[in-house]
Amino acid sequence: AEPALVEHFEATLARHDRIEPRDWMPEAYRATLVRQIAQHAHSEIIGMQPEGNWLTRAPSLRRKAILLAKVQDEAGHGLYLYSACETLGTSRRELTEKLLTGRQKYSSIFNYPTLSYADVGTIGWLVDGAAICNQVPLCRTSYGPYGRAMIRICKEESFHQRQGYELLLTMMRGTDEQRAMVQESVDRFWWPALMMFGPPDADSPNTGQSMAWGIKRNTNDELRQKFVDMSVPQAEALGVTLPDPDLRWNEERQAHDFGQPDWDEFRAVVRGDGPCNAQRIEHRRRAHDDGAWVRAAATAFAARQAGEESR
Ligand code: ACO
């Protein structure tokens, strides 16, 4: 690359300013962004499934309206992110194909089943809470289209988090049976939520370079700590116990000490051996096949419009 272009790239990063699609960028920077943004987009789309599972069994019209809005928001997030990824020169078709053939990842968390309606609340509280913790700093990521997509996504994620917390609060004010459902759900989701932040910094191959490029603004362990510190008082207010015997306040660090998730389980889930991996991809493939006529119709319509315009 021309030295002036390299200099422009580095000066932009040094000012904490944004790199835009037409700017020159190192190929490895581009590839890292495609990897991370695609993984993020796929997570939003696959993430519709665990909760979509409960749409037809919501306990009231109000709960159904909330859940429907939330699942639709996730589709929207996937679309903004696919668009951001396309500005890097990768087509939506290619991204979809890589998801369906397992060549690109999506978040481990969505490979766990949703077994009760309390899971809708827990996913809002813990999973969307973890997503916010990870995504608020990404609003300042160095790549313009990604950072701008994150701003809107974070606003919607705050609504998701609060609807989940409010659902759990309502159940905690209900019967003993409802309280037990909430606790059982929190017991299942706590550790997988901690895994969402990725492997410990010492085992994270990408963090160093991604921080140097301003793609990531915090390390995996920093954000995991922030999430634990944020969740403990919320758990107390709810009246649930977090399933970690090592969890305690450390006066010296002014932060909570906590136990390690089962990293073997994490690796297995990322490899494709989690409880629902096969089901999630199979469902996604079927939905994609069922949508073939929509894509064909849209393509035919676009071609006809183009023909009419050139006439
Ligand atoms: N699930 C699946 N794969 C993961 C996870 C996870 N929870 N955490 C890390 N990985 C993968 C990484 O993608 C990487 O794999 P790859 O190199 O083959 O792509 C590998 O494990 C090693 O991890 P890191 O070196 O730490 O990777 P990275 O620097 O990309 O950090 C992180 C991972 C923190 C998830 C980062 O990519 C990120 O912030 N992504 C954007 C947020 C996001 O994707 N959220 C999706 C879930 S939230 C939601 O959708 C509601």
Side-chain angles (χ1 to χ4, degrees):
E2 282 176 41
L5 294 178
V6 179
E7 205 173 297
H8 176 266
F9 175 78
E10 288 183 347
T12 306
L13 291 187
R15 288 197 306 277
H16 295 282
D17 211 343
R18 307 269 208 202
I19 305 293
E20 295 297 339
R22 287 194 180 82
D23 293 340
W24 178 86
M25 60 187 85
E27 278 317 302
Y29 174 86
R30 186 186 301 275
T32 297
L33 279 167
V34 169
R35 179 183 65 76
Q36 178 167 327
I37 302 173
Q39 175 174 320
H40 197 164
H42 298 326
S43 301
E44 299 284 356
I45 296 298
I46 297 286
M48 294 167 75
Q49 291 182 41
E51 289 174 288
N53 183 36
W54 286 93
L55 279 172
T56 54
R57 284 166 291 161
S60 68
L61 182 59
R62 178 171 175 269
R63 290 294 169 201
K64 181 162 177 151
I66 295 171
L67 186 56
L68 205 53
K70 178 185 187 245
V71 173
Q72 286 176 346
D73 283 352
E74 275 152 15
H77 298 176
L79 299 185
Y80 313 148
L81 288 165
Y82 283 130
S83 298
C85 210
E86 287 190 295
T87 66
L88 293 158
T90 310
S91 71
R92 173 88 178 270
R93 178 194 294 261
E94 189 181 334
L95 296 171
T96 303
E97 206 171 283
K98 284 190 170 155
L99 168 67
L100 295 179
T101 53
R103 282 176 294 157
Q104 279 174 346
K105 300 184 167 81
Y106 59 90
S107 182
S108 50
I109 191 73
F110 302 116
N111 292 308
Y112 291 86
T114 43
L115 305 178
S116 78
Y117 207 77
D119 289 357
V120 171
T122 307
I123 289 177
W125 175 39
L126 294 178
V127 174
D128 297 324
I132 293 171
C133 232
N134 165 270
Q135 289 171 18
V136 165
L138 289 176
C139 295
R140 293 182 291 108
T141 191
S142 60
Y143 187 57
Y146 190 29
R148 288 188 288 273
M150 277 297 117
I151 293 171
R152 176 152 176 192
I153 290 176
C154 283
K155 288 185 186 156
E156 295 178 349
E157 291 292 356
S158 310
F159 153 60
H160 298 173
Q161 201 263 355
R162 296 191 63 155
Q163 68 80 37
Y165 194 76
E166 190 264 353
L167 193 165
L168 295 181
L169 207 55
T170 305
M171 289 185 77
M172 291 304 287
R173 290 178 183 147
T175 62
D176 284 346
E177 205 180 358
Q178 286 176 304
R179 278 186 284 277
M181 270 170 81
V182 173
Q183 184 63 57
E184 189 274 334
S185 173
V186 169
D187 288 346
R188 270 184 294 113
F189 274 98
W190 175 250
W191 294 110
L194 291 189
M195 295 175 193
M196 288 174 68
F197 296 94
D201 293 351
D203 304 324
S204 163
N206 300 304
T207 296
Q209 183 60 69
S210 288
M211 298 268 288
W213 276 329
I215 294 176
K216 285 168 82 164
R217 295 292 185 192
N218 299 93
T219 72
N220 300 356
D221 286 332
E222 282 167 12
L223 295 175
R224 194 170 7 253
Q225 177 75 56
K226 195 165 164 225
F227 175 70
V228 171
D229 291 336
M230 180 179 106
S231 301
V232 167
Q234 294 174 352
E236 274 165 21
L238 265 181
V240 297
T241 310
L242 297 173
D244 178 357
D246 297 326
L247 185 62
R248 64 181 61 85
W249 178 249
N250 182 325
E251 190 59 38
E252 213 167 293
R253 289 201 306 123
Q254 289 292 301
H256 291 86
D257 292 337
F258 57 97
Q260 286 295 307
D262 178 347
W263 292 114
D264 289 337
E265 176 183 314
F266 170 75
R267 279 184 289 271
V269 173
V270 173
R271 233 184 9 248
D273 297 331
C276 299
N277 296 59
Q279 180 189 332
R280 299 292 185 235
I281 288 296
E282 173 51 33
H283 185 93
R284 184 72 214 114
R285 185 172 292 128
R286 205 170 340 113
H288 187 67
D289 292 347
D290 288 349
W293 71 272
V294 179
R295 294 189 295 279
T299 308
F301 182 75
R304 201 176 70 195
Q305 291 285 93
E308 276 168 15
E309 268 163 33
S310 64
R311 229 183 289 142

